[in-house]
Amino acid sequence: MVSITDVAKKAGCSATLVSRVVNNQYGVSEKSRQKIQAAIDELGYTPNGLARSLVLKTTNTIGVVVDTLCDAYFFDLIQAIEEEVGKLGYDVLFCSAGNSTEKKSSYINFFMQERVDGILIYGSALDDKKLITKLARSHFPFALIENDMGSLNVNNILLNNQYGSEVAVDYLFQCGCRNIAHVAGDENRQAARRRQKGYLSAMKKHGASNIMILQSGWSEEEGYNTLKEFLSTCRKADLPDAFFFSSDQTAYGGMRALLEAGIRIPDDVMLIGFDDDQPRNHNFSYVPLTTVRQPLSDMGKAAVDILISDIKEKKEIKEKKMFYPNLVIRQTTRKEN
Amino acid sequence: MVSITDVAKKAGCSATLVSRVVNNQYGVSEKSRQKIQAAIDELGYTPNGLARSLVLKTTNTIGVVVDTLCDAYFFDLIQAIEEEVGKLGYDVLFCSAGNSTEKKSSYINFFMQERVDGILIYGSALDDKKLITKLARSHFPFALIENDMGSLNVNNILLNNQYGSEVAVDYLFQCGCRNIAHVAGDENRQAARRRQKGYLSAMKKHGASNIMILQSGWSEEEGYNTLKEFLSTCRKADLPDAFFFSSDQTAYGGMRALLEAGIRIPDDVMLIGFDDDQPRNHNFSYVPLTTVRQPLSDMGKAAVDILISDIKEKKEIKEKKMFYPNLVIRQTTRKEN
């Protein structure tokens, strides 16, 4: 690395003078300033940001930890975060921790070491509770998206998953369905549990006694396998009126198994998913899916606003903001007139 | 933030002793170590990483600058980088600079300030040349993916775009096409210029005199508009035998315009794209596209290997590695027997 001494030597002046130019301070003649700037440019000198950060205690940067950067579903969230951060004069670094709490913890620690001013953490892994509880004690600014930490004093951007499921099941009842099965998602995800809870409460509200839960996961593959297995034991006459899936990917997998078995959608069975996501498998003709849409873009924007106001004001009481998903009606449901 | 003094106070010992525990040094009894660790955990103390980095001069982290994180096309690259970095015991931070050289420069500066050990820069914007030339003088480890910096002494992972186009045009000749038009991409991208150059050299090699270049961009929209405009002035009898597009997105747009005009693919006209990318618009039935595939995953892995070996060995002469794309034959071309 080029040091401040190298620059001073090249410009034929003292290191103090170079430091004044780097830090935009007074006491340097225009001529010296130009000579020093030329030396900085020629040598490619970069002021030591870590040392400066130690003094300035700010980076104007936030860090974002997500489970994966390789899922098109998150584009709305990433774009909203980038836009809002830019508007507020910050930069943003992203990293993905897979489903590893250990890795998430390691990235958070790295960010906290004065490399960013605050952190956004996306995801609803139940395993994260311990990590978040510890983080809350550190007084380092952060905000959680999606993972509901209950009464814990943390900035929390939430989606009402239970409400989303209730809206979906209500609509299936309006469509004339009575016999509605739920294809449940990843058990280790809070969101999947809340979605299942919403299914149960809506079924109870409508006085439905025929509760049917097929445990699956959130991937297309799991949805496909779950429905394929179910269909191998279920006579066509005993099919539910509708399947409410815990995620759109699960629904796309399930739809594939149903269509392959010659079951017509929505004539024989109606489907609703959750997320407003796109199919990843482009070698199949999907029926446009009725789904519960998360306002990911609004959530990303709110998360940035809450985090940056916490960075600036060091709030004692953290903010919680709840978002409500809405139903997007497409062609896998049909309402009776 | 919790300080080392807070921990010392809580544990009833000196700050020096806490520092020894934090830095895994000798001279602390097992009993004291446990008491101090308990205080660290309870208070959520994080050792000051910047101060430590200043001493250790290493972060075990690399930074990656891309144009966008919101393009599914880059998933192969991102995944390969994450996997390889993980194998070598490093972490990775991503940021996107849009098409702004200024923003790219700002992120690179931020990373260079001892926040990461090295940087990967993806993209082929011609405007970046000045920035890269300056960066090369700084002796900070970095590697470029895609942007060919010629004789500049930098780590450079390259794709032979010209070769890719030649392979595509050769194949169209094998399919019996003689009258081949090129739909050119973003003029400000080196890759787009090289792809056009490849088209020209292959046409020349085959002795074709009917050179036809339609200037377009790399987006689906631009491809659609370019072809729509072209078709409005071109009689069906005067159609080229084939279109070779500078990118798959351009090709998907062009395909949409062609199919809407009642032109059959590949019967009336054959198409080849570049990138092996998926359509983003799911409301249209695309013909599976013959294309030139970039080995993005191999390129990402090689970039990480070259960068990390440079970080470790501080090489005087930087590495260049050229990758060759290959043709993937699908249904928009048909070979004569």
Side-chain angles (χ1 to χ4, degrees):
Chain A
M1 289 289 290
V2 177
S3 76
I4 198 161
T5 325
D6 298 333
V7 176
K9 208 166 153 188
K10 180 100 197 168
C13 69
S14 69
T16 313
L17 220 54
V18 176
S19 163
R20 284 205 187 128
V21 171
V22 167
N23 293 299
N24 279 318
Q25 288 166 338
Y26 295 106
V28 193
S29 72
E30 191 45 40
K31 200 178 150 192
S32 296
R33 189 180 295 275
Q34 281 177 11
K35 207 162 60 180
I36 291 166
Q37 192 56 53
I40 287 171
D41 288 346
E42 195 179 332
L43 295 173
Y45 169 67
T46 313
N48 187 320
L50 285 205
R52 296 180 78 193
S53 281
L54 282 174
V55 177
L56 299 172
K57 296 275 184 201
T58 184
T59 62
N60 268 344
T61 301
I62 70 164
V64 179
V65 185
V66 293
D67 287 340
T68 175
L69 284 166
C70 295
D71 186 340
Y73 178 61
F74 294 116
F75 289 171
D76 279 355
L77 183 82
I78 292 173
Q79 255 161 1
I81 291 173
E82 286 184 335
E83 273 178 36
E84 192 66 9
V85 154
K87 267 187 216 158
L88 299 172
Y90 280 69
D91 283 328
V92 53
L93 303 176
F94 291 88
C95 62
S96 73
N99 290 321
S100 155
T101 304
E102 198 188 329
K103 197 143 196 195
K104 197 173 280 184
S105 168
S106 145
Y107 273 117
I108 290 171
N109 270 325
F110 182 81
F111 277 145
M112 281 172 74
Q113 292 166 14
E114 290 169 49
R115 287 189 172 92
V116 301
D117 297 343
I119 308 173
L120 289 183
I121 303 163
Y122 183 90
S124 74
L126 292 167
D127 298 340
D128 290 350
K129 183 110 192 188
K130 207 174 145 191
L131 166 67
I132 302 300
T133 308
K134 192 180 156 199
L135 187 53
R137 276 200 231 107
S138 74
H139 300 293
F140 190 86
F142 72 99
L144 299 178
I145 310 177
E146 218 204 34
N147 217 356
D148 184 354
M149 286 295 151
S151 60
L152 204 62
N153 184 27
V154 295
N155 294 311
N156 216 171
I157 289 82
L158 296 163
L159 180 80
N160 199 322
N161 284 291
Q162 183 171 340
Y163 168 86
S165 291
E166 287 166 357
V167 168
V169 174
D170 281 353
Y171 186 72
L172 288 171
F173 270 90
Q174 287 174 37
C175 291
C177 304
R178 294 293 172 265
N179 201 1
I180 301 163
H182 178 51
V183 183
D186 191 339
E187 283 178 292
N188 188 37
R189 299 287 166 159
Q190 199 181 50
R193 293 195 184 189
R194 296 276 163 91
R195 289 172 191 184
Q196 179 169 326
K197 204 171 158 191
Y199 160 77
L200 290 169
S201 64
M203 291 295 275
K204 194 174 163 191
K205 188 179 82 182
H206 289 282
S209 55
N210 44 351
I211 301 299
M212 186 192 296
I213 295 173
L214 307 177
Q215 183 59 50
S216 186
W218 270 350
S219 70
E220 209 209 294
E221 206 51 28
E222 287 164 301
Y224 179 78
N225 290 334
T226 303
L227 265 280
K228 206 166 161 86
E229 199 188 316
F230 173 76
L231 292 171
S232 73
T233 58
C234 174
R235 292 182 314 161
K236 202 169 167 179
D238 297 334
L239 263 184
D241 305 330
F243 289 95
F244 168 51
F245 292 86
S246 187
S247 85
D248 280 3
Q249 292 309 320
T250 321
Y252 289 125
M255 189 192 294
R256 204 148 55 82
L258 289 161
L259 292 173
E260 281 178 10
I263 294 162
R264 293 166 307 164
I265 298 163
D267 307 72
D268 298 332
V269 67
M270 298 196 199
L271 310 184
I272 296 186
F274 204 118
D275 287 338
D276 199 20
D277 202 356
Q278 297 278 357
R280 306 275 175 264
N281 176 346
H282 299 284
N283 302 317
F284 197 82
S285 271
Y286 295 91
V287 184
L289 182 66
T290 297
T291 188
V292 180
R293 179 177 165 77
Q294 291 195 39
L296 265 191
S297 181
D298 296 343
M299 289 165 72
K301 186 178 173 303
V304 169
D305 292 346
I306 288 172
L307 176 64
I308 292 183
S309 83
D310 193 18
I311 290 169
K312 289 184 173 163
E313 299 164 29
K314 300 270 174 215
K315 297 186 176 171
E316 275 299 313
I317 308 296
K318 305 301 181 187
E319 269 191 75
K320 289 188 198 298
K321 190 159 187 175
M322 174 74 85
F323 285 82
Y324 287 81
N326 64 299
L327 193 69
V328 180
I329 297 164
R330 296 206 184 92
Q331 294 166 39
T332 56
T333 49
R334 187 183 297 143
K335 202 167 171 175
E336 291 178 337
N337 287 315
Chain B
M1 288 291 290
V2 178
S3 74
I4 199 161
T5 325
D6 299 332
V7 176
K9 208 167 153 187
K10 180 100 196 167
C13 70
S14 69
T16 313
L17 219 55
V18 176
S19 163
R20 283 206 187 125
V21 170
V22 167
N23 292 300
N24 281 318
Q25 288 166 337
Y26 296 106
V28 194
S29 72
E30 189 46 38
K31 202 178 147 193
S32 296
R33 190 180 294 276
Q34 280 176 11
K35 208 161 60 180
I36 291 166
Q37 191 56 54
I40 286 171
D41 288 346
E42 196 180 331
L43 296 174
Y45 170 70
T46 314
N48 188 321
L50 285 205
R52 295 180 78 193
S53 281
L54 282 175
V55 177
L56 299 172
K57 296 275 182 201
T58 184
T59 62
N60 267 345
T61 302
I62 70 163
V64 179
V65 185
V66 293
D67 286 340
T68 176
L69 284 165
C70 295
D71 187 340
Y73 177 62
F74 293 116
F75 289 171
D76 279 355
L77 182 82
I78 292 174
Q79 256 161 1
I81 291 174
E82 287 185 334
E83 273 177 36
E84 192 66 8
V85 154
K87 266 187 216 158
L88 298 173
Y90 279 70
D91 285 328
V92 54
L93 302 177
F94 291 89
C95 63
S96 73
N99 290 321
S100 155
T101 304
E102 198 188 330
K103 197 143 196 194
K104 197 173 279 183
S105 167
S106 147
Y107 273 115
I108 290 171
N109 270 325
F110 183 81
F111 278 145
M112 281 174 74
Q113 292 167 13
E114 289 170 50
R115 288 188 170 92
V116 301
D117 297 344
I119 308 174
L120 289 183
I121 303 163
Y122 182 89
S124 74
L126 291 167
D127 299 341
D128 290 351
K129 183 109 193 189
K130 206 174 145 189
L131 166 67
I132 302 299
T133 308
K134 193 180 156 197
L135 187 53
R137 276 199 232 109
S138 75
H139 299 293
F140 191 86
F142 73 98
L144 299 179
I145 310 177
E146 219 205 30
N147 217 355
D148 184 354
M149 287 295 152
S151 60
L152 204 61
N153 184 27
V154 295
N155 294 310
N156 216 171
I157 290 82
L158 297 164
L159 180 80
N160 198 322
N161 283 291
Q162 183 171 340
Y163 168 86
S165 292
E166 287 166 356
V167 168
V169 174
D170 281 352
Y171 186 72
L172 287 170
F173 270 91
Q174 286 174 38
C175 291
C177 303
R178 294 293 171 266
N179 200 0
I180 301 165
H182 177 52
V183 183
D186 191 340
E187 283 178 292
N188 189 37
R189 300 285 167 161
Q190 198 181 52
R193 294 194 183 189
R194 297 277 163 89
R195 288 170 193 184
Q196 179 170 325
K197 203 172 160 191
Y199 159 78
L200 290 169
S201 64
M203 292 293 275
K204 192 175 165 190
K205 188 179 81 182
H206 290 281
S209 55
N210 44 353
I211 300 300
M212 186 193 298
I213 294 173
L214 307 177
Q215 184 58 50
S216 186
W218 269 349
S219 70
E220 209 209 295
E221 206 51 27
E222 286 164 301
Y224 179 78
N225 291 334
T226 304
L227 265 279
K228 204 163 163 85
E229 199 188 315
F230 173 75
L231 293 171
S232 73
T233 59
C234 175
R235 291 183 315 163
K236 203 168 166 179
D238 296 335
L239 264 183
D241 305 331
F243 290 95
F244 167 53
F245 293 86
S246 187
S247 85
D248 281 3
Q249 292 308 319
T250 320
Y252 289 125
M255 187 192 295
R256 204 148 55 81
L258 290 162
L259 292 173
E260 281 177 10
I263 293 160
R264 294 166 306 164
I265 298 162
D267 306 72
D268 298 332
V269 66
M270 298 196 198
L271 310 184
I272 297 188
F274 204 117
D275 287 339
D276 199 20
D277 202 357
Q278 297 279 356
R280 306 276 176 266
N281 176 348
H282 300 283
N283 302 315
F284 197 82
S285 272
Y286 296 90
V287 184
L289 183 67
T290 297
T291 190
V292 180
R293 180 178 165 78
Q294 291 195 37
L296 265 191
S297 180
D298 295 343
M299 289 165 72
K301 185 177 174 303
V304 169
D305 292 346
I306 287 172
L307 177 63
I308 291 183
S309 84
D310 192 19
I311 289 170
K312 291 186 172 159
E313 298 164 31
K314 301 268 173 217
K315 297 185 175 172
E316 276 298 314
I317 307 297
K318 306 301 179 185
E319 268 191 75
K320 291 190 196 299
K321 191 159 186 176
M322 175 73 85
F323 285 83
Y324 288 80
N326 64 300
L327 193 71
V328 180
I329 297 163
R330 298 207 183 93
Q331 295 166 37
T332 55
T333 47
R334 188 183 296 143
K335 201 165 172 177
E336 290 178 337
N337 286 316

Short mmCIF file of all heavy atoms in Angstrom, two decimals, chain B residues 235-257:
data_model
loop_
_atom_site.label_atom_id
_atom_site.label_comp_id
_atom_site.label_asym_id
_atom_site.label_seq_id
_atom_site.Cartn_x
_atom_site.Cartn_y
_atom_site.Cartn_z
N ARG B 235 -40.12 -6.08 -46.27
CA ARG B 235 -41.09 -7.04 -46.80
C ARG B 235 -40.68 -8.44 -46.36
O ARG B 235 -39.48 -8.73 -46.20
CB ARG B 235 -41.13 -6.98 -48.32
CG ARG B 235 -41.74 -5.67 -48.85
CD ARG B 235 -41.79 -5.73 -50.37
NE ARG B 235 -40.52 -6.22 -50.93
CZ ARG B 235 -40.37 -6.69 -52.16
NH1 ARG B 235 -41.41 -6.75 -52.96
NH2 ARG B 235 -39.20 -7.09 -52.60
N LYS B 236 -41.68 -9.32 -46.19
CA LYS B 236 -41.39 -10.67 -45.69
C LYS B 236 -40.39 -11.39 -46.61
O LYS B 236 -39.53 -12.13 -46.15
CB LYS B 236 -42.69 -11.47 -45.56
CG LYS B 236 -42.56 -12.61 -44.57
CD LYS B 236 -43.90 -13.25 -44.21
CE LYS B 236 -43.65 -14.58 -43.49
NZ LYS B 236 -44.89 -15.25 -43.07
N ALA B 237 -40.51 -11.13 -47.88
CA ALA B 237 -39.61 -11.79 -48.85
C ALA B 237 -38.16 -11.33 -48.69
O ALA B 237 -37.24 -12.04 -49.07
CB ALA B 237 -40.09 -11.50 -50.27
N ASP B 238 -37.99 -10.14 -48.11
CA ASP B 238 -36.63 -9.59 -47.94
C ASP B 238 -36.03 -9.89 -46.56
O ASP B 238 -34.94 -9.40 -46.23
CB ASP B 238 -36.64 -8.07 -48.14
CG ASP B 238 -37.04 -7.70 -49.56
OD1 ASP B 238 -36.85 -8.56 -50.46
OD2 ASP B 238 -37.56 -6.59 -49.77
N LEU B 239 -36.75 -10.67 -45.75
CA LEU B 239 -36.22 -11.02 -44.42
C LEU B 239 -34.86 -11.70 -44.52
O LEU B 239 -34.63 -12.48 -45.44
CB LEU B 239 -37.16 -12.02 -43.74
CG LEU B 239 -38.23 -11.53 -42.77
CD1 LEU B 239 -38.95 -12.74 -42.20
CD2 LEU B 239 -37.61 -10.70 -41.64
N PRO B 240 -33.95 -11.43 -43.57
CA PRO B 240 -32.72 -12.23 -43.52
C PRO B 240 -33.05 -13.70 -43.23
O PRO B 240 -34.15 -14.00 -42.77
CB PRO B 240 -31.95 -11.62 -42.34
CG PRO B 240 -32.62 -10.33 -42.01
CD PRO B 240 -34.03 -10.43 -42.49
N ASP B 241 -32.11 -14.61 -43.45
CA ASP B 241 -32.31 -16.03 -43.09
C ASP B 241 -32.24 -16.19 -41.58
O ASP B 241 -32.80 -17.13 -41.02
CB ASP B 241 -31.19 -16.91 -43.67
CG ASP B 241 -31.04 -16.75 -45.16
OD1 ASP B 241 -32.06 -16.44 -45.81
OD2 ASP B 241 -29.90 -16.92 -45.65
N ALA B 242 -31.46 -15.30 -40.95
CA ALA B 242 -31.22 -15.48 -39.51
C ALA B 242 -30.85 -14.16 -38.87
O ALA B 242 -30.32 -13.25 -39.52
CB ALA B 242 -30.08 -16.48 -39.28
N PHE B 243 -31.18 -14.06 -37.56
CA PHE B 243 -30.71 -12.94 -36.74
C PHE B 243 -29.78 -13.49 -35.67
O PHE B 243 -30.13 -14.44 -34.97
CB PHE B 243 -31.88 -12.22 -36.04
CG PHE B 243 -32.76 -11.45 -36.97
CD1 PHE B 243 -33.91 -12.00 -37.50
CD2 PHE B 243 -32.42 -10.13 -37.31
CE1 PHE B 243 -34.73 -11.27 -38.36
CE2 PHE B 243 -33.24 -9.40 -38.18
CZ PHE B 243 -34.39 -9.97 -38.70
N PHE B 244 -28.61 -12.86 -35.54
CA PHE B 244 -27.72 -13.21 -34.43
C PHE B 244 -27.73 -12.02 -33.48
O PHE B 244 -27.32 -10.91 -33.83
CB PHE B 244 -26.31 -13.51 -34.94
CG PHE B 244 -25.28 -13.55 -33.85
CD1 PHE B 244 -25.48 -14.37 -32.74
CD2 PHE B 244 -24.13 -12.78 -33.91
CE1 PHE B 244 -24.54 -14.40 -31.71
CE2 PHE B 244 -23.18 -12.81 -32.90
CZ PHE B 244 -23.40 -13.62 -31.80
N PHE B 245 -28.27 -12.24 -32.27
CA PHE B 245 -28.46 -11.18 -31.29
C PHE B 245 -27.27 -11.09 -30.33
O PHE B 245 -26.72 -12.10 -29.93
CB PHE B 245 -29.73 -11.43 -30.47
CG PHE B 245 -31.00 -11.32 -31.25
CD1 PHE B 245 -31.49 -12.42 -31.95
CD2 PHE B 245 -31.71 -10.13 -31.29
CE1 PHE B 245 -32.68 -12.33 -32.67
CE2 PHE B 245 -32.90 -10.03 -32.00
CZ PHE B 245 -33.38 -11.13 -32.70
N SER B 246 -26.97 -9.87 -29.89
CA SER B 246 -25.84 -9.63 -29.00
C SER B 246 -26.08 -10.14 -27.58
O SER B 246 -25.14 -10.32 -26.81
CB SER B 246 -25.53 -8.13 -28.96
OG SER B 246 -24.36 -7.88 -28.25
N SER B 247 -27.36 -10.35 -27.22
CA SER B 247 -27.67 -10.94 -25.91
C SER B 247 -28.97 -11.71 -26.00
O SER B 247 -29.79 -11.46 -26.90
CB SER B 247 -27.79 -9.86 -24.82
OG SER B 247 -29.10 -9.32 -24.80
N ASP B 248 -29.18 -12.62 -25.06
CA ASP B 248 -30.43 -13.38 -25.05
C ASP B 248 -31.63 -12.49 -24.78
O ASP B 248 -32.71 -12.72 -25.33
CB ASP B 248 -30.38 -14.49 -23.99
CG ASP B 248 -29.59 -15.70 -24.47
OD1 ASP B 248 -29.04 -15.64 -25.59
OD2 ASP B 248 -29.51 -16.68 -23.72
N GLN B 249 -31.48 -11.49 -23.89
CA GLN B 249 -32.62 -10.62 -23.61
C GLN B 249 -33.05 -9.90 -24.89
O GLN B 249 -34.24 -9.81 -25.19
CB GLN B 249 -32.29 -9.61 -22.49
CG GLN B 249 -32.11 -10.26 -21.11
CD GLN B 249 -33.26 -11.16 -20.68
OE1 GLN B 249 -34.43 -10.86 -20.89
NE2 GLN B 249 -32.93 -12.30 -20.09
N THR B 250 -32.09 -9.38 -25.65
CA THR B 250 -32.40 -8.75 -26.93
C THR B 250 -33.11 -9.75 -27.85
O THR B 250 -34.08 -9.41 -28.53
CB THR B 250 -31.09 -8.28 -27.62
OG1 THR B 250 -30.22 -7.73 -26.64
CG2 THR B 250 -31.36 -7.23 -28.67
N ALA B 251 -32.62 -10.99 -27.82
CA ALA B 251 -33.20 -12.04 -28.67
C ALA B 251 -34.64 -12.33 -28.26
O ALA B 251 -35.51 -12.51 -29.12
CB ALA B 251 -32.35 -13.30 -28.60
N TYR B 252 -34.92 -12.37 -26.93
CA TYR B 252 -36.29 -12.64 -26.49
C TYR B 252 -37.23 -11.53 -26.95
O TYR B 252 -38.35 -11.79 -27.37
CB TYR B 252 -36.36 -12.81 -24.96
CG TYR B 252 -35.72 -14.09 -24.48
CD1 TYR B 252 -34.72 -14.08 -23.51
CD2 TYR B 252 -36.12 -15.32 -25.00
CE1 TYR B 252 -34.12 -15.26 -23.08
CE2 TYR B 252 -35.53 -16.51 -24.58
CZ TYR B 252 -34.52 -16.47 -23.61
OH TYR B 252 -33.95 -17.63 -23.20
N GLY B 253 -36.76 -10.30 -26.86
CA GLY B 253 -37.57 -9.18 -27.35
C GLY B 253 -37.80 -9.28 -28.84
O GLY B 253 -38.93 -9.13 -29.34
N GLY B 254 -36.72 -9.57 -29.57
CA GLY B 254 -36.81 -9.72 -31.02
C GLY B 254 -37.74 -10.86 -31.41
O GLY B 254 -38.57 -10.73 -32.33
N MET B 255 -37.65 -11.97 -30.68
CA MET B 255 -38.49 -13.14 -30.96
C MET B 255 -39.96 -12.77 -30.80
O MET B 255 -40.81 -13.17 -31.61
CB MET B 255 -38.13 -14.26 -29.99
CG MET B 255 -38.82 -15.59 -30.30
SD MET B 255 -38.66 -16.80 -28.95
CE MET B 255 -36.90 -17.10 -28.90
N ARG B 256 -40.26 -11.97 -29.77
CA ARG B 256 -41.63 -11.55 -29.52
C ARG B 256 -42.16 -10.74 -30.71
O ARG B 256 -43.26 -10.99 -31.20
CB ARG B 256 -41.66 -10.72 -28.22
CG ARG B 256 -42.99 -10.68 -27.52
CD ARG B 256 -42.85 -10.56 -26.00
NE ARG B 256 -42.04 -9.43 -25.55
CZ ARG B 256 -42.48 -8.16 -25.45
NH1 ARG B 256 -43.71 -7.86 -25.79
NH2 ARG B 256 -41.67 -7.22 -25.01
N ALA B 257 -41.34 -9.80 -31.20
CA ALA B 257 -41.75 -8.99 -32.35
C ALA B 257 -41.95 -9.86 -33.59
O ALA B 257 -42.92 -9.67 -34.35
CB ALA B 257 -40.71 -7.90 -32.62
#
